[in-house]
Amino acid sequence: MSNFLGRALGTALLTRVDDATDVYLVRHGQQVRAGKDSPESMAYDAHLSEQGRAQALAVGEALAGAGLDAVYSSNLARAHDTGKAIAAHHGVEVVVDERLKEVGIFRDVPGEQSFEQAVGTERALAASRQMIETLTWDSIPLGEGSAEFRARVHGAIWEIARRHAGDQVAIACHGGVINAFLAEEYGLSRDFLFRPAHAGITRVRFAGDRAIMLTGNEIAHLEAADLLSF
């Protein structure tokens, strides 16, 4: 490849740009699992499990040398606590942005009911099959739709990146959030691209009107401590 084309590729993919903003999208640590017969609403704001707390500490250590200028999180406890473990190494407070919360997959299910109780077993099974086929949140009734979810996540992350032009920023959030941002940014129809590990790191660089994923689902810090989970 000629030097000219090499430079052009570096500019196009944001590896040779000045004043770029690097955003570390971090999935929260493992959460406490709700009981088998518990309503889905009880799991939405679950706290970190013992392993999840260890994972949060591990990702905090992994990003200790990143020179972060700001740390953001969703308003859900598992993401906020993961964000605090990251921020502790950088002398900053976690900024909570509710738009970064996980998809409201069972948002409109009555709080005392399970999803299956609310829609019926046959419809629940059909929704599961459709989700596998289409890889979209729109497959699940009584939840937040794909377009609504993508719009709030994509807008929030871009707003944060523009607010911190040229900075290093971490966002402790959720697997669905990371997928939604990337899917919307790259114009993909599916909502599910990959499953981020608990406390895995996905790096996205922002410059001008472009965002490019630099790395996806970094897990070396988790494997080294035998803490990998999905």
Side-chain angles (χ1 to χ4, degrees), residues 2 10 19 31 46-47 57 59 68 81 88 134-136 139 154 163-164 171 179 191 193 203 214 226 230:
S2 70
D19 298 323
Q31 68 269 42
H47 289 261
L57 292 174
V59 74
L68 297 177
D81 288 346
T134 66
L135 300 174
T136 67
S139 306
H154 191 259
R163 184 183 304 149
H164 293 279
I171 297 177
N179 275 272
D191 294 322
L193 311 181
R203 307 184 190 212
L214 297 182
D226 195 24
F230 291 89

Side-chain angles (χ1 to χ4, degrees), residues 205-218:
R205 177 164 292 171
F206 295 76
D209 61 353
R210 183 171 299 174
I212 297 292
M213 186 173 75
L214 297 182
T215 69
N217 210 22
E218 296 177 34

Side-chain angles (χ1 to χ4, degrees), residues 18 35 74 84 93 130 153 182 184 217 229:
D18 297 323
S74 86
K84 287 192 293 186
E93 296 293 325
Q130 186 176 0
V153 165
L182 293 173
E184 185 67 13
N217 210 22
S229 69

Side-chain angles (χ1 to χ4, degrees), residues 21 26 29 35 46 61 91 99 114 122 134 165 169 171-172 191 196 204 217:
T21 302
V26 180
E61 291 286 349
R99 295 173 298 172
S114 69
E122 185 175 340
T134 66
V169 180
I171 297 177
D191 294 322
V204 181
N217 210 22

Side-chain angles (χ1 to χ4, degrees), residues 13-61:
L13 298 179
L14 305 186
T15 54
R16 292 186 179 181
V17 294
D18 297 323
D19 298 323
T21 302
D22 286 344
V23 176
Y24 300 78
L25 299 175
V26 180
R27 188 186 177 199
H28 58 80
Q30 182 189 79
Q31 68 269 42
V32 175
R33 301 296 185 184
K36 179 181 177 182
D37 298 321
S38 301
E40 279 83 357
S41 58
M42 292 182 61
Y44 188 65
D45 194 12
H47 289 261
L48 292 175
S49 66
E50 182 177 350
Q51 174 153 318
R53 291 192 294 271
Q55 290 166 334
L57 292 174
V59 74
E61 291 286 349

Side-chain angles (χ1 to χ4, degrees), residues 48 52-64 68 71 78-90 92 94 172:
L48 292 175
R53 291 192 294 271
Q55 290 166 334
L57 292 174
V59 74
E61 291 286 349
L63 294 176
L68 297 177
V71 177
R78 59 193 185 275
H80 188 234
D81 288 346
T82 302
K84 287 192 293 186
I86 296 169
H89 294 272
H90 302 277
V92 299
V94 178

Side-chain angles (χ1 to χ4, degrees), residues 111-151:
E112 73 283 359
Q113 292 185 323
S114 69
F115 175 66
E116 185 176 349
Q117 289 171 334
V119 303
T121 300
E122 185 175 340
R123 190 179 181 196
L125 289 172
S128 297
R129 290 192 295 268
Q130 186 176 0
M131 184 178 70
I132 293 169
E133 292 173 2
T134 66
L135 300 174
T136 67
W137 294 117
D138 284 338
S139 306
I140 309 299
L142 299 183
E144 184 176 18
S146 297
E148 181 182 357
F149 179 44
R150 287 185 183 211

